[in-house]
Amino acid sequence: MALNKNVNPRPLTPKEKEDRKHGVYDSFANYVVFCNKCKKTRKTNMYIMRAEAYIDELHAKGELCTCGANEWTLGYPMSTTTGFVKY
């Protein structure tokens, strides 16, 4: 499993999650998929629909993080609302 140790992710805020339910999102943002338990990043620089599909794939396969959890979630790198950062 490829984990990016250079990214400190944060989950979407409650407002960002609520906006997403209503179809509101930043179409130019780069999202990350990470383990919500230990914060290890699985994949970076993804558009939202692909990131959501990737999370569904990980859950469907029962793919575990190195910490043993299957708590994959969507977010941004810490301190950003766009995901545009250099690693």
Side-chain angles (χ1 to χ4, degrees):
M1 170 183 352
L3 295 171
N4 190 330
K5 296 176 184 175
N6 298 319
V7 179
N8 184 17
R10 70 161 179 87
L12 297 182
T13 65
K15 180 175 181 353
E16 290 166 338
K17 287 179 183 178
E18 190 61 31
D19 286 347
R20 179 67 187 121
K21 287 180 188 175
H22 298 290
V24 177
Y25 61 94
D26 185 345
S27 62
F28 294 103
N30 289 322
Y31 294 86
V32 298
V33 171
F34 67 98
C35 175
N36 202 36
K37 182 177 179 185
C38 71
K39 306 300 185 221
K40 288 181 183 167
T41 300
R42 177 65 185 257
K43 201 159 186 178
T44 61
N45 300 326
M46 302 182 78
Y47 291 115
I48 193 161
M49 282 87 164
R50 182 62 197 122
E52 289 170 337
Y54 186 60
I55 290 169
D56 290 343
E57 292 166 16
L58 292 170
H59 286 146
K61 289 192 280 186
E63 188 84 27
L64 300 178
C65 179
T66 56
C67 74
N70 184 351
E71 297 183 24
W72 305 111
T73 193
L74 178 69
Y76 288 117
M78 195 65 74
S79 303
T80 181
T81 58
T82 63
F84 293 112
V85 296
K86 258 192 155 173
Y87 305 114

